[in-house]
Amino acid sequence: MHTSIATVSLSGSLTEKLAAAARAGFGGVEIFENDLLASPLTPEEIRARCADLGLSVDLYQPLRDIEAVPDHVFARNLRRARHKFALMNRLGADTVLVCSSVSPDAVDDDSLAARQLSQLADSAHEFGIRVAYEALAWGRHVNTYDHAWRIVEAAGHPALGVCLDSFHILSRGSEPEDLEGIADIPGEKIFFLQLADAPLLAMDVLQWSRHHRCFPGQGGFDLAGLLRHVLAAGYRGPLSLEVFNDVFRQADAGSTAVDAHRSLLLLREAAGAGALPPAVVPTGVAFAELLTPDAEPVTGLLTALGFTRAARHRGKPVDLWQWGEARILVNTAATARRDGTRLAAIGLESPDPAGAARRAEALLAPVLPRRRGPEDAPLDAVAAPDGTELFFCATATATATATATATATATATGASATASATVADPELPDWRADFTDLPDTAVPSATRIDHLALTQPWHHFDEATLFHRSVLGLTAQESVDLADPYGLLRSRAVAAGDGSVRIALSVGAAPGDDTVHAQHIALATDDVMAAARRFRDAGGRLLPVPANYYDDLAARYEFADGELDTYRELGILYDHDAHGAFRHCYTEIVGRVFFELVQRDGGYQGYGAANAPVRLAAQQAGRR
Amino acid sequence: MHTSIATVSLSGSLTEKLAAAARAGFGGVEIFENDLLASPLTPEEIRARCADLGLSVDLYQPLRDIEAVPDHVFARNLRRARHKFALMNRLGADTVLVCSSVSPDAVDDDSLAARQLSQLADSAHEFGIRVAYEALAWGRHVNTYDHAWRIVEAAGHPALGVCLDSFHILSRGSEPEDLEGIADIPGEKIFFLQLADAPLLAMDVLQWSRHHRCFPGQGGFDLAGLLRHVLAAGYRGPLSLEVFNDVFRQADAGSTAVDAHRSLLLLREAAGAGALPPAVVPTGVAFAELLTPDAEPVTGLLTALGFTRAARHRGKPVDLWQWGEARILVNTAATARRDGTRLAAIGLESPDPAGAARRAEALLAPVLPRRRGPEDAPLDAVAAPDGTELFFCATATATATATATATATATATGASATASATVADPELPDWRADFTDLPDTAVPSATRIDHLALTQPWHHFDEATLFHRSVLGLTAQESVDLADPYGLLRSRAVAAGDGSVRIALSVGAAPGDDTVHAQHIALATDDVMAAARRFRDAGGRLLPVPANYYDDLAARYEFADGELDTYRELGILYDHDAHGAFRHCYTEIVGRVFFELVQRDGGYQGYGAANAPVRLAAQQAGRR
């Protein structure tokens, strides 16, 4: 199935856009008129550039307010249209889009519209061009797809068909039965299909359309349902993205194009029109890998938390630090000093690492070269949109035994350590086998990685959510706003259904903020107070929490005697939801990373978002 | 009249916010609860800090979903409230805000609400605190100010009154007659007035309220009308700004606080409740001043345009370049190399420079120190929000004579040069007298400065519009979006009614973009084709315009024979509006500045916005 993208959906000059679309695997483009007008290339040169890149020019839309107007106005419109048809011949575009008129000159007269569109199609036909008529959601008289089709049907011209646009159809709040009329349109009269999703905003539809469209799967429309209807009608033309979005206008065209094409592949899959390798949901976090120019500060912090250096990679400067089921790799391979310590990779326990990698690759995730020694396990890895390396792997039985011990210990307190007790399939490549055990033995503990919090580049937040959801098979939760003293952050969690993998994605208030806000690793323990005290007694510094916060807790909740005093003493924050309670505290920041100690009780599902403003303010205060 | 601001309206830590509010001249603050919770200062320390800064703590709002709930829920609420009243005593706040409940627990029972609010007021009274009850626009059962007042009236408790909030009242689309009920509330029962404006957006009211409020005069609400009603009712309490705005959360607190206080002063003036020195509308542009580390590139460009070096400042390294009535000062006083050439100051012809400066100073514009020699004219100058220096001045008769000549020349062609023919009052300080004439005489010409285009810092666009409108007395036009290849710009013009002063303010797509987009000086000529040809023949380089642009013009308009060829040859762009036509072209960029040559015919009012995408794309192409 041919895929296409309107150049208005991407940032940059026309040639930048074309190169990005081709690299991401699109088969064609819609050339947006302003992009052509602003380009120093002639139409012939643009056509040649597209041909070199393997792109067809699927659509051009240079005409506005054409039909259902007085005849002298239509004569002018036809003159303009013939100019544009000649241009389209030079450009190699054979379909012209005509949107329903928004002009105050337009009259509510379907037969006039049909007659004039028929005349336009006559003229187009001379140039070998087809006319695709589309109902704008805010068209003056024609604003539904079935109305546009009635006019096209009445015109009965072979060079005249309809263009269906998901935004214009679904933004009107269509009920499922409203889409049934699509089946009445013969497939060969659907000349074109434009696709855009959008968040479900209650706002002026024109502003919504021009600024807030997004790629399929990133908004709230049922695009798969629409596509199924259109394919059932017999449509076999391009699936084309036309997305007006303020953020995409600023973002790098290359990564936006990849995000765009991935969204189309997923839409095809969701509509049952194109198979992909199935998702392999990860079953746990095998490890988190920190890249650091100087291991000392971070290993000091790990030691104070309770980690021990359990093993060393056979061939690389990488140590495995372990605390119960929480495993942190500390990698001192070359990294620039100014980058500081950062969370560079995540190992995901996978029941089928090769399958997981196949799906990721099919969905355009860059597959990472296997930089490994001849003896190393062949680990599959891809890059997430933010550059984090994701390893699909299995933790071997030796470790699983340690887990079993930890689980046994944890059982007494009822803590939720069982989810990570993966017993790896001996058939699977064992990343752990690349490491040589060190004499220090880890103290058994129920500790495990509760969640990882990753700061996303500003322009790619929705891409990150779609990636984690669709490539990894995680479930996305609602997006929440978090107030930092210097702007609102947005945060959205993606998780496996059983909570064994949780990733909190967040994005700053403005481009560039991803370097301000740190990433973090949250460690689940069954006694956060004991863990915090041990950390502090070992010389670790916990983020200070203002006394006013505890006065507020006292006003809002009733705690057991002394409990609040302990929170206050240690800097522990408290939250609760319909399921249970959450207690958590934070270490200082090292480089771009900090740690959180958390205790989930009674099935609490959140991430302590209510406390984020206090945490963020305290971190900002530490920077001054 | 006491002015106040909610700390949520400003960016930063609580102490940063307090300092910024005090510096901008506010008399008090509303402490936002999250700011207190996140502050390491105790309530007593916050109180002392406010006292040191001369700020009263006018309001605190720690309570939610208090009233019209089952009694056992209310008992919990009362417990929480008493905790908070004790805190307010420590903080020195004597008014608590209670917003109407949004809880699903709340019942639709005004007598229950009145009874529970009365109990709450009893409790508050013990602490010396008054309760101000406010109807949220999305309150579950109580969402209009008159409903809230009926409940307060029924309760009949001396420590219970209403808080009126302009957003909650006006966001419901109130008709003027809807405000008449305010007169029914005794002034002493209006305990508080919160003010916020907002752009007229058709969107979900909760999202609108939380993200898009703005300062009075920057949105679409009739706040002056509301304030008149509230004052007529006898209210004498604080005017307090409570503005939730995503941009202000990121912006520097100091300049936001100044913007905020200026908006309140203007609102008072508009409601007839506080006089300011009257606005003195400028009558022309006396000069534009370029600051440059190296005069050579820019004077080369000026020479090619037709400017001559007409005079030299007696005591500073500043040359006056003149072309007809267009005057450019080229200042080579110390400027950092990396800043490049930039537009640093504007001289505005003023019939009353001292009066203009008085208004600017009363409206918190920084008054610039008079860096002048003993003989120099005492020019009044202030800084605009973007740092541009604005000189209020008069151009003396000697120059006015030259103007008269130029005007006479221009009359033949009907060009609009008359607006700048200011004959300065001999009483006024003449900036021109500080300059010694040079032998080169300017060729008489009708050229004048048509408009100046200034790029605004991202966080201060609405402030800039309000400043130019209210401080200078210019009229603001509608804001328009301009598509740059790398993001949407927003642009808004402010102008004197007769067009003698026009300033186009624009802002980039993201913070930091103000350094990417250049400022420019547009020169009005009565023959742009001749001016462009002369510039090119003198070695000047005009911005190249793509051939595709002219093919589009050919499709859209019918031109006289050869006209389009001339446009094409020279790179002239064309636009028209209901009044007339606009032809314009651009020079290359020098430092951060470029020039535009424009010809307005038939009373064209715009700035060629339709051509901005082509211009911006060509400028971006030049950067690659």
Side-chain angles (χ1 to χ4, degrees):
Chain A
M1 191 162 248
H2 187 75
T3 56
S4 191
I5 187 166
T7 55
V8 73
S9 317
L10 299 172
S11 174
S13 69
L14 180 57
T15 45
E16 273 181 283
K17 293 171 188 221
L18 297 178
R23 267 202 314 275
F26 282 96
V29 289
E30 300 178 28
I31 305 272
F32 192 65
E33 182 164 48
N34 274 344
D35 284 326
L36 182 128
L37 300 190
S39 175
L41 272 62
T42 63
E44 291 81 1
E45 287 167 336
I46 295 168
R47 174 187 201 151
R49 183 70 63 98
C50 287
D52 285 351
L53 291 166
L55 296 169
S56 52
V57 179
D58 295 322
L59 193 80
Y60 191 59
Q61 47 173 314
L63 305 175
R64 292 275 177 285
D65 298 330
I66 287 293
E67 84 290 10
V69 288
D71 278 331
H72 69 280
V73 176
F74 184 70
R76 275 209 310 272
N77 291 350
L78 208 52
R79 171 185 171 280
R80 178 154 50 98
R82 294 181 66 87
H83 264 276
K84 297 297 179 181
F85 295 155
L87 167 69
M88 287 174 64
N89 281 170
R90 298 169 64 198
L91 196 58
D94 65 2
T95 305
V96 68
L97 181 68
V98 173
C99 292
S100 61
S101 180
V102 299
S103 165
D105 287 346
V107 290
D108 188 6
D109 180 344
D110 285 3
S111 63
L112 179 64
R115 176 164 59 79
Q116 290 179 341
L117 285 172
S118 191
Q119 282 179 263
L120 183 74
D122 269 344
S123 190
H125 187 67
E126 290 175 37
F127 292 84
I129 288 170
R130 307 190 309 167
V131 176
Y133 182 57
E134 170 183 308
L136 291 180
W138 54 88
R140 189 164 163 80
H141 302 295
V142 178
N143 44 43
T144 60
Y145 77 88
D146 46 330
H147 191 177
W149 163 239
R150 284 198 304 276
I151 292 171
V152 166
E153 194 176 22
H157 195 291
L160 180 66
V162 294
C163 172
L164 299 180
D165 182 302
S166 66
F167 182 88
H168 292 290
I169 296 173
L170 299 174
S171 64
R172 299 179 59 92
S174 303
E175 295 296 313
E177 59 269 25
D178 294 338
L179 300 183
E180 287 166 12
I182 294 173
D184 300 337
I185 313 176
E188 70 278 7
K189 294 302 276 186
I190 305 176
F191 282 4
F192 211 76
L193 176 62
Q194 289 184 316
L195 295 163
D197 202 343
L200 300 179
L201 302 172
M203 68 183 297
D204 174 68
V205 68
L206 184 64
Q207 293 302 314
W208 188 21
S209 170
R210 294 218 175 137
H211 301 284
H212 300 282
R213 292 187 185 201
C214 56
F215 296 131
Q218 298 177 357
F221 290 162
D222 177 18
L223 289 187
L226 176 74
L227 179 56
R228 274 191 295 268
H229 277 93
V230 176
L231 295 175
Y235 176 70
R236 295 295 174 265
L239 303 187
S240 189
L241 295 168
E242 189 193 33
V243 171
F244 303 88
N245 180 293
D246 291 356
V247 171
F248 296 158
R249 284 178 185 273
Q250 301 167 35
D252 173 70
S255 51
T256 307
V258 167
D259 180 25
H261 206 214
R262 181 184 299 130
S263 77
L264 267 192
L265 298 173
L266 288 164
L267 175 62
R268 262 186 5 194
E269 179 189 48
L276 291 167
V280 180
V281 182
T283 54
V285 177
F287 60 81
E289 180 169 354
L290 300 174
L291 205 57
T292 181
D294 176 9
E296 205 47 42
V298 74
T299 56
L301 211 151
L302 290 171
T303 305
L305 280 165
F307 283 87
T308 48
R309 197 167 68 116
R312 186 162 178 78
H313 194 278
R314 281 201 309 261
K316 296 178 196 159
V318 179
D319 286 343
L320 165 63
W321 288 73
Q322 187 151 354
W323 180 21
E325 282 305 296
R327 297 173 211 91
I328 309 281
L329 303 185
V330 177
N331 184 338
T332 49
T335 182
R337 174 82 223 162
R338 65 182 163 74
D339 291 340
T341 300
R342 62 194 176 86
L343 180 53
I346 300 170
L348 294 168
E349 300 279 1
S350 177
D352 176 8
R358 272 197 305 276
R359 180 169 177 87
E361 187 172 5
L363 285 166
L364 313 175
V367 174
L368 298 172
R370 292 178 172 174
R371 292 173 311 237
R372 61 182 182 106
E375 312 252 307
D376 291 355
L379 297 182
D380 289 292
V382 300
D386 65 357
T388 303
E389 301 186 353
L390 301 177
F391 288 84
F392 302 113
C393 58
T395 305
T397 321
T399 315
T401 310
T403 309
T405 317
T407 311
T409 317
T411 310
T413 62
S416 57
T418 44
S420 61
T422 308
V423 178
D425 182 336
E427 299 289 300
L428 299 177
D430 173 24
W431 68 275
R432 192 62 183 71
D434 296 346
F435 286 76
T436 310
D437 286 346
L438 293 170
D440 287 352
T441 355
V443 185
S445 155
T447 307
R448 61 183 200 92
I449 291 179
D450 181 85
H451 65 274
L452 298 155
L454 301 175
T455 310
Q456 300 301 302
W458 201 73
H459 295 130
H460 300 290
F461 187 62
D462 291 335
E463 176 183 7
T465 309
L466 184 62
F467 178 91
H468 286 86
R469 197 156 64 76
S470 65
V471 174
L472 304 184
L474 301 177
T475 304
Q477 292 168 22
E478 285 300 299
S479 174
V480 291
D481 285 338
L482 308 178
D484 177 90
Y486 300 100
L488 285 185
L489 313 188
R490 208 147 66 96
S491 178
R492 192 167 187 186
V494 288
D498 63 358
S500 57
V501 176
R502 301 178 197 255
I503 300 175
L505 305 166
S506 71
V507 65
D513 274 11
D514 52 318
T515 58
V516 176
H517 295 284
Q519 306 161 318
H520 78 265
I521 300 173
L523 303 163
T525 158
D526 51 4
D527 186 346
V528 71
M529 291 186 267
R533 187 164 279 128
R534 187 176 48 217
F535 175 67
R536 205 189 49 177
D537 292 348
R541 277 183 300 185
L542 289 164
L543 188 73
V545 175
N548 298 329
Y549 172 80
Y550 295 102
D551 291 346
D552 181 59
L553 282 191
R556 293 197 293 140
Y557 304 106
E558 300 194 53
F559 291 100
D561 277 356
E563 192 176 347
L564 199 55
D565 294 332
T566 308
Y567 294 175
R568 199 186 285 265
E569 178 206 341
L570 294 166
I572 288 173
L573 301 159
Y574 176 86
D575 189 29
H576 76 139
D577 66 9
H579 307 284
F582 190 58
R583 277 166 272 215
H584 56 141
C585 60
Y586 298 93
T587 70
E588 65 194 307
I589 300 175
V590 174
R592 288 190 53 200
V593 179
F594 63 95
F595 292 85
E596 180 180 7
L597 290 166
V598 316
Q599 178 179 342
R600 291 179 185 272
D601 288 317
Y604 174 90
Q605 290 300 316
Y607 299 80
N611 297 321
V614 167
R615 188 255 297 173
L616 290 162
Q619 289 178 331
Q620 292 282 12
R623 286 201 179 89
R624 278 195 294 271
Chain B
M1 190 161 251
H2 186 75
T3 56
S4 190
I5 186 166
T7 55
V8 72
S9 315
L10 300 172
S11 174
S13 68
L14 179 57
T15 45
E16 273 182 282
K17 294 172 186 219
L18 296 178
R23 270 203 312 277
F26 282 96
V29 289
E30 300 179 28
I31 305 272
F32 193 64
E33 182 165 48
N34 273 344
D35 284 324
L36 182 126
L37 299 190
S39 174
L41 272 62
T42 64
E44 290 81 1
E45 287 167 338
I46 294 169
R47 175 187 200 152
R49 182 70 61 98
C50 288
D52 285 350
L53 292 166
L55 295 169
S56 52
V57 180
D58 294 324
L59 193 80
Y60 192 58
Q61 47 172 315
L63 306 175
R64 291 276 176 284
D65 299 332
I66 288 293
E67 83 291 8
V69 288
D71 279 330
H72 71 281
V73 176
F74 183 69
R76 275 209 311 270
N77 290 351
L78 206 54
R79 172 185 170 278
R80 178 155 49 102
R82 294 183 64 90
H83 264 277
K84 296 298 181 181
F85 295 155
L87 167 70
M88 288 174 64
N89 281 171
R90 299 169 63 195
L91 196 59
D94 65 2
T95 305
V96 67
L97 181 68
V98 172
C99 292
S100 60
S101 181
V102 299
S103 164
D105 287 344
V107 291
D108 189 7
D109 180 344
D110 285 3
S111 65
L112 178 64
R115 176 164 61 79
Q116 290 180 339
L117 285 172
S118 190
Q119 281 179 261
L120 183 73
D122 268 344
S123 189
H125 187 64
E126 290 174 39
F127 292 85
I129 288 168
R130 306 189 311 165
V131 176
Y133 182 57
E134 170 184 308
L136 291 180
W138 54 89
R140 188 162 164 81
H141 302 295
V142 178
N143 44 43
T144 60
Y145 76 89
D146 47 330
H147 191 177
W149 164 238
R150 284 197 305 276
I151 292 171
V152 166
E153 193 176 23
H157 195 291
L160 180 66
V162 293
C163 171
L164 299 180
D165 182 302
S166 66
F167 182 87
H168 292 291
I169 295 173
L170 299 173
S171 64
R172 299 180 58 93
S174 303
E175 294 297 311
E177 58 270 24
D178 295 338
L179 299 182
E180 287 166 13
I182 293 173
D184 300 336
I185 312 176
E188 71 278 6
K189 294 301 276 185
I190 305 175
F191 282 3
F192 211 76
L193 176 62
Q194 289 185 314
L195 295 162
D197 202 343
L200 300 179
L201 303 172
M203 67 184 297
D204 173 68
V205 68
L206 184 63
Q207 293 302 314
W208 190 20
S209 170
R210 295 221 174 134
H211 301 284
H212 300 283
R213 293 188 184 202
C214 56
F215 296 130
Q218 297 178 358
F221 290 161
D222 177 17
L223 289 187
L226 175 74
L227 181 55
R228 274 192 295 268
H229 277 93
V230 176
L231 295 175
Y235 176 70
R236 295 295 175 264
L239 303 186
S240 189
L241 296 168
E242 189 192 34
V243 171
F244 303 88
N245 180 292
D246 291 356
V247 172
F248 296 159
R249 285 179 184 272
Q250 300 167 33
D252 173 70
S255 51
T256 307
V258 167
D259 180 25
H261 205 212
R262 181 184 299 127
S263 78
L264 267 192
L265 298 173
L266 288 164
L267 175 62
R268 262 186 6 192
E269 179 189 48
L276 292 167
V280 181
V281 182
T283 54
V285 177
F287 61 81
E289 180 170 352
L290 299 174
L291 205 58
T292 179
D294 175 9
E296 205 47 42
V298 74
T299 57
L301 211 153
L302 289 171
T303 305
L305 280 166
F307 282 87
T308 48
R309 196 166 70 117
R312 186 163 179 77
H313 194 278
R314 280 202 309 261
K316 297 177 194 159
V318 180
D319 286 344
L320 166 62
W321 288 74
Q322 187 151 355
W323 180 20
E325 283 304 297
R327 295 173 212 92
I328 308 281
L329 303 185
V330 177
N331 184 337
T332 48
T335 183
R337 175 80 223 163
R338 67 184 161 72
D339 291 340
T341 301
R342 63 194 174 87
L343 180 53
I346 300 172
L348 294 168
E349 301 279 1
S350 177
D352 175 9
R358 272 196 304 277
R359 181 171 176 86
E361 188 172 5
L363 285 166
L364 312 176
V367 174
L368 298 173
R370 292 178 171 174
R371 291 174 313 235
R372 59 182 184 107
E375 311 251 308
D376 290 356
L379 297 183
D380 289 291
V382 299
D386 65 357
T388 303
E389 301 187 353
L390 301 177
F391 287 84
F392 302 113
C393 57
T395 305
T397 322
T399 314
T401 311
T403 308
T405 318
T407 311
T409 316
T411 310
T413 62
S416 55
T418 44
S420 61
T422 308
V423 178
D425 181 336
E427 299 289 300
L428 298 177
D430 173 24
W431 68 276
R432 192 61 181 75
D434 296 346
F435 285 78
T436 310
D437 286 346
L438 292 170
D440 285 354
T441 354
V443 184
S445 157
T447 306
R448 61 182 199 91
I449 291 179
D450 180 84
H451 65 274
L452 298 156
L454 301 176
T455 309
Q456 300 301 301
W458 201 73
H459 296 128
H460 301 289
F461 187 63
D462 291 335
E463 174 182 8
T465 309
L466 184 63
F467 179 92
H468 286 87
R469 197 156 64 75
S470 63
V471 174
L472 303 183
L474 301 177
T475 304
Q477 293 169 21
E478 284 301 299
S479 173
V480 292
D481 285 339
L482 308 179
D484 176 271
Y486 300 100
L488 285 184
L489 313 189
R490 208 147 66 96
S491 178
R492 192 166 188 186
V494 289
D498 63 358
S500 57
V501 176
R502 299 178 198 257
I503 299 176
L505 305 167
S506 71
V507 65
D513 274 11
D514 52 317
T515 58
V516 176
H517 295 284
Q519 305 161 318
H520 79 265
I521 300 173
L523 302 163
T525 158
D526 51 5
D527 187 345
V528 71
M529 290 187 268
R533 187 165 278 129
R534 187 176 49 216
F535 176 68
R536 205 190 47 179
D537 292 348
R541 276 182 300 185
L542 289 164
L543 187 74
V545 175
N548 297 331
Y549 172 81
Y550 296 103
D551 290 346
D552 180 58
L553 281 189
R556 293 197 292 139
Y557 305 106
E558 299 195 53
F559 292 100
D561 277 356
E563 191 176 348
L564 200 54
D565 295 332
T566 308
Y567 294 175
R568 200 186 282 265
E569 178 205 342
L570 294 166
I572 287 173
L573 302 159
Y574 176 86
D575 189 29
H576 77 139
D577 65 11
H579 306 284
F582 190 59
R583 276 166 274 217
H584 56 142
C585 60
Y586 298 94
T587 71
E588 64 194 309
I589 300 175
V590 174
R592 289 190 52 199
V593 180
F594 62 95
F595 292 86
E596 181 180 7
L597 290 165
V598 315
Q599 179 179 342
R600 289 179 186 274
D601 289 315
Y604 174 89
Q605 290 301 316
Y607 298 80
N611 296 321
V614 167
R615 187 255 297 173
L616 289 162
Q619 289 178 330
Q620 292 282 13
R623 285 200 181 89
R624 276 194 295 271

